Amino acid sequence: MSEVLRTGRLALHPVSMSDHRALLAHWTGPLVRRHLFDDMVISPVQVTEIIAASQRDFAVEGYGLWTLRPGLRGSVDPYGGPLVGVAGLRRHDGPLHSAVDVEILYSLEPDRWGQGLAVEASRAVLGYAFEVVGLHRITAEIDAGNTTSAAVAEQLGMRPWRAGPDGPDGASYVAADRTHWLGSRRGIDAVP
């Protein structure tokens, strides 16, 4: 199973320790950390732990976090250029700690916002999750007021999940399921 994903504009590679410096700079940027880390500045040690956890997840579960870089075809550099973001999957407690599920997450460098890259990368990650790994449901937690992430989730076909109150911090929860994803992908693929 190949863990390297490609889209029309991006190359997605599993995060590695060689990405540490770029990930630290990306994840500590104020506009990125605002929703990804609840505005907390993470330390170099925490970045190391996140990378190690992702590597373990790939080895055990078949998924983890990918770096997003421009997908330069024919490039000598297999990573294709500078880090433009991160997308991936991780296990986490469900809404109000109700169960463990698999969550999609993504972040982009602010100068890449508004170009459709979050949707493009997330589609690749969801396709991998459902078609390669065989997961049945992927969830997302969307912070209150994060209308951009809500729009990304909607474009991905994610729907409200777990009817009832939102999380204690006002977050909403959405999910994509394998059956719907595969059905909608086949419909799209069938168009001449």
Side-chain angles (χ1 to χ4, degrees):
M1 141 175 31
S2 172
E3 297 162 348
V4 175
L5 308 176
R6 294 198 181 277
T7 71
R9 299 179 289 169
L10 297 169
L12 289 72
H13 291 266
V15 298
S16 70
M17 290 302 170
S18 65
D19 299 310
H20 191 283
R21 180 176 293 163
L23 290 171
L24 179 63
H26 175 66
W27 285 335
T28 56
L31 295 175
V32 172
R33 73 173 190 249
R34 179 178 56 195
H35 293 295
L36 195 59
F37 295 105
D38 296 326
D39 214 20
M40 302 280 299
V41 177
I42 63 170
S43 70
V45 170
Q46 289 170 303
V47 172
T48 299
E49 291 168 352
I50 292 168
I51 293 169
S54 178
Q55 290 173 325
R56 278 191 306 275
D57 287 345
F58 269 115
V60 175
E61 305 291 345
Y63 58 79
L65 301 176
W66 285 268
T67 60
L68 310 179
R69 298 179 190 274
L72 305 174
R73 301 220 187 269
S75 171
V76 180
D77 177 4
Y79 292 101
L83 180 81
V84 299
V86 176
L89 303 166
R90 68 175 182 166
R91 293 175 59 90
H92 78 108
D93 289 335
L96 304 176
H97 306 288
S98 59
V100 173
D101 63 284
V102 179
E103 174 186 40
I104 189 167
L105 51 96
Y106 42 83
S107 60
L108 290 174
E109 283 295 312
D111 66 342
R112 301 301 179 122
W113 292 359
Q115 299 175 25
L117 295 175
V119 172
E120 187 174 322
S122 295
R123 277 194 180 122
V125 169
L126 287 175
Y128 179 87
F130 293 135
E131 298 167 22
V132 177
V133 180
L135 297 174
H136 294 283
R137 179 181 59 226
I138 304 297
T139 65
E141 178 181 344
I142 300 173
D143 290 349
N146 191 346
T147 57
T148 302
S149 277
V152 168
E154 184 177 339
Q155 289 179 58
L156 294 171
M158 300 183 91
R159 301 174 180 168
W161 180 59
R162 298 245 181 195
D166 289 334
D169 59 356
S172 61
Y173 300 94
V174 295
D177 68 77
R178 184 173 195 263
T179 303
H180 180 263
W181 177 265
L182 294 176
S184 66
R185 295 276 299 209
R186 286 193 184 108
I188 292 168
D189 292 343
V191 175

